[in-house]
Amino acid sequence: MATINDNYLKLKAGYLFPEIARRVNTFAQSNPDAPIIKLGIGDVTEPLPEASRTAMLKAVEEMGDRATFKGYGPEQGYLWLREKIATHDFQARGCEIEPDEIFISDGSKCDTGNILDIFGNNNTIAVTDPVYPVYVDTNVMAGNTGSINNAGEFEGLVYLPITEENNFTAEIPSQKVDLIYLCFPNNPTGATASKDYLKNWVDYANNHGSIILFDAAYEAFITDPNLPHSIYEIEGARNCAIEFRSFSKKAGFTGTRCALTVVPKSLTAKAADGSDVELWKLWNRRQSTKFNGVSYIVQRGAEAVYSEAGQAQVKALISFYLENAKIIREKLTEAGLVVYGGVNAPYIWLKTPNELSSWDFFDKLLQMANIVGTPGSGFGAAGEGYFRISAFNSRENVNEAMKRIIEKFKV
Ligand code: MLT
């Protein structure tokens, strides 16, 4: 008789966003005329940059001609794309990242989960609370945790609370942890990290032989010139950090799929015999075995993001969503709600009114204003009493949603 990976039984029934979609569909079925506005999952709404579309159309034509047709590409991604990323995203900011340290993939969500393939099962793993649920769920699936307790925490994980008191930036743990997930600009709270703050983490990691898994999927939303976009802007990070980035939110690629993971060649971790092993070699081996690369057409679309026109179009896209975030912040504040984030990030984190639980506020918002957001408790126990609103939608929908919130919830 075949058996299952029992670790899956430890998980809550559904992943957060499908669970929200299920509740919204149930509501929509009973209220077919409700004009629902979705500010829940961070899914982009604005069209792909013209530069990317033009490049992809050209690539499609190339695929139609035997002379320029492409079959399997390099599993790590085409060098022309990796070179552009190294130059524009890293070297231009003073980070010593070489093209062959960049692995192109189909998503940061996948990579932040898949990265566990190259780590042992005996690591002490720290996550923030609240946190992007993928980090936790993939550790549960990999057997790196025990069961979930009444507080909604998995045994074996070290939870680092992020709260108003610490400006939603986790404090360095007093104990030794081996793997640490950090996400800046933060999903879900929209908090950002200064260079000094990240330097403390890099020093901690280098002193303890820990690895930081740094999710920078939202770095393009940073407009404050003093904030770092990459952990490699911090001295010493090449020896302790893997960074994940994505074209999804930056260039509207959520449906097109392209991302990247940086694994510096200087990064090592211990084998069972105590020897130091290069993580780059393991990730390269993993990707060559389990992944066949992102399509040529999509990589050409991603490459076009770095053209002069592409850069201007991406900047306009980001400004558009950041203006949405500003409107949301202002209007929610006008409604008397306490809000955080949404300045160098596309997410606004609010305190639920009248001490409602996160899911109660979700239901009220849906029923009374036909607006979908994301309950803070879905991101972890410490997210209870909070709620996330995403700035990814049309201006018309954002304005309408804020009008409804002011009408129904102004305190
Ligand atoms: C979110 O809403 O948190 C994101 O869209 C999830 C993701 O990028 O996978």
Side-chain angles (χ1 to χ4, degrees):
M1 179 69 101
T3 61
I4 60 152
N5 176 352
D6 273 86
N7 294 309
Y8 277 65
L9 304 181
K10 298 177 196 161
L11 292 164
K12 286 189 211 145
Y15 180 59
L16 175 62
F17 293 107
E19 172 58 19
I20 290 172
R22 193 188 61 74
R23 292 186 186 219
V24 174
N25 288 341
T26 307
F27 175 80
Q29 270 162 15
S30 336
N31 302 274
D33 297 327
I36 296 175
I37 297 177
K38 294 184 180 169
L39 300 174
I41 188 166
D43 194 4
V44 293
T45 53
E46 302 309 297
L48 281 176
E50 194 192 344
S52 296
R53 282 183 278 135
T54 307
M56 286 195 275
L57 283 170
K58 180 165 173 277
V60 169
E61 290 304 323
E62 289 176 59
M63 296 298 262
D65 180 341
R66 187 170 288 115
T68 48
F69 172 79
K70 303 278 184 299
Y72 289 126
E75 294 90 353
Q76 301 80 357
Y78 285 98
L79 197 55
W80 35 260
L81 175 56
R82 300 163 86 196
E83 281 170 351
K84 292 265 167 39
I85 294 168
T87 309
H88 288 262
D89 289 346
F90 295 101
Q91 292 162 4
R93 298 196 66 85
C95 310
E96 289 171 37
I97 295 297
E98 295 302 321
D100 64 353
E101 295 177 315
I102 296 167
F103 293 80
I104 307 300
S105 78
D106 58 348
S108 289
K109 175 178 171 180
C110 326
D111 281 1
T112 53
N114 292 334
I115 200 74
L116 292 174
D117 277 9
I118 67 169
F119 290 104
N121 286 118
N122 49 358
N123 288 307
T124 305
I125 296 160
V127 292
T128 63
D129 181 9
V131 70
Y132 179 42
V134 170
Y135 315 152
V136 171
D137 287 6
T138 53
N139 271 291
V140 176
M141 291 170 178
N144 292 342
T145 73
S147 305
I148 196 164
N149 64 20
N150 290 338
E153 296 179 339
F154 285 93
E155 285 162 19
L157 290 182
V158 174
Y159 288 88
L160 308 173
I162 52 175
T163 59
E164 287 157 293
E165 287 71 44
N166 59 23
N167 287 323
F168 301 101
T169 47
E171 276 148 38
I172 305 276
S174 45
Q175 71 191 101
K176 175 182 173 309
V177 297
D178 304 305
L179 295 181
I180 307 140
Y181 291 84
L182 293 179
C183 173
F184 287 109
N186 186 252
N187 180 10
T189 66
T192 52
S194 69
K195 281 191 179 164
D196 287 346
Y197 173 77
L198 289 183
K199 178 81 174 101
N200 288 337
W201 275 108
V202 166
D203 289 347
Y204 169 90
N206 280 327
N207 288 337
H208 292 85
S210 328
I211 302 286
I212 298 172
L213 300 171
F214 190 75
D215 187 348
Y218 298 95
E219 63 73 36
F221 293 85
I222 297 175
T223 51
D224 181 339
N226 297 317
L227 293 175
H229 288 236
S230 167
I231 192 144
Y232 304 116
E233 290 177 51
I234 312 302
E235 200 190 332
R238 277 189 59 87
N239 297 324
C240 67
I242 290 175
E243 181 165 307
F244 305 92
R245 286 205 182 190
S246 174
F247 290 88
S248 283
K249 317 291 160 100
K250 167 181 176 149
F253 272 54
T254 53
T256 308
R257 311 305 309 151
C258 197
L260 59 117
T261 290
V262 184
V263 187
K265 290 194 169 166
S266 41
L267 198 58
T268 63
K270 293 282 180 207
D273 66 5
S275 60
D276 292 317
V277 177
E278 282 178 38
L279 291 175
W280 182 94
K281 286 192 177 151
L282 301 189
W283 186 243
N284 190 48
R285 183 71 172 83
R286 192 260 171 218
Q287 291 298 83
S288 327
T289 307
K290 292 196 180 181
F291 188 56
N292 265 334
V294 173
S295 92
Y296 171 72
I297 298 163
V298 168
Q299 290 192 63
R300 280 296 186 200
E303 184 199 24
V305 161
Y306 297 97
S307 63
E308 211 180 311
Q311 290 282 281
Q313 289 155 16
V314 163
K315 205 169 162 214
L317 259 186
I318 299 288
S319 303
F320 175 80
Y321 291 125
L322 283 177
E323 181 63 22
N324 279 352
K326 184 166 176 267
I327 294 170
I328 295 170
R329 272 182 67 94
E330 284 172 3
K331 295 293 175 187
L332 293 179
T333 307
E334 192 182 319
L337 296 165
V338 178
V339 299
Y340 304 92
V343 177
N344 291 282
Y347 295 126
I348 292 88
W349 189 240
L350 63 94
K351 254 184 152 160
T352 58
N354 306 321
E355 301 192 351
L356 284 173
S357 78
S358 300
W359 278 109
D360 283 349
F361 186 60
F362 172 89
D363 289 336
K364 271 201 162 27
L365 201 58
L366 184 57
Q367 281 155 18
M368 291 168 60
N370 302 152
I371 294 167
V372 181
T374 310
S377 56
F379 297 99
E384 183 54 274
Y386 288 90
F387 200 79
R388 194 191 76 175
I389 298 277
S390 148
F392 294 111
N393 213 314
S394 65
R395 184 63 43 79
E396 194 188 348
N397 278 347
V398 164
N399 283 332
E400 172 61 22
M402 293 307 113
K403 191 169 133 250
R404 289 187 208 163
I405 290 184
I406 289 181
E407 269 167 26
K408 308 276 180 194
F409 291 93
K410 193 167 167 124
V411 283

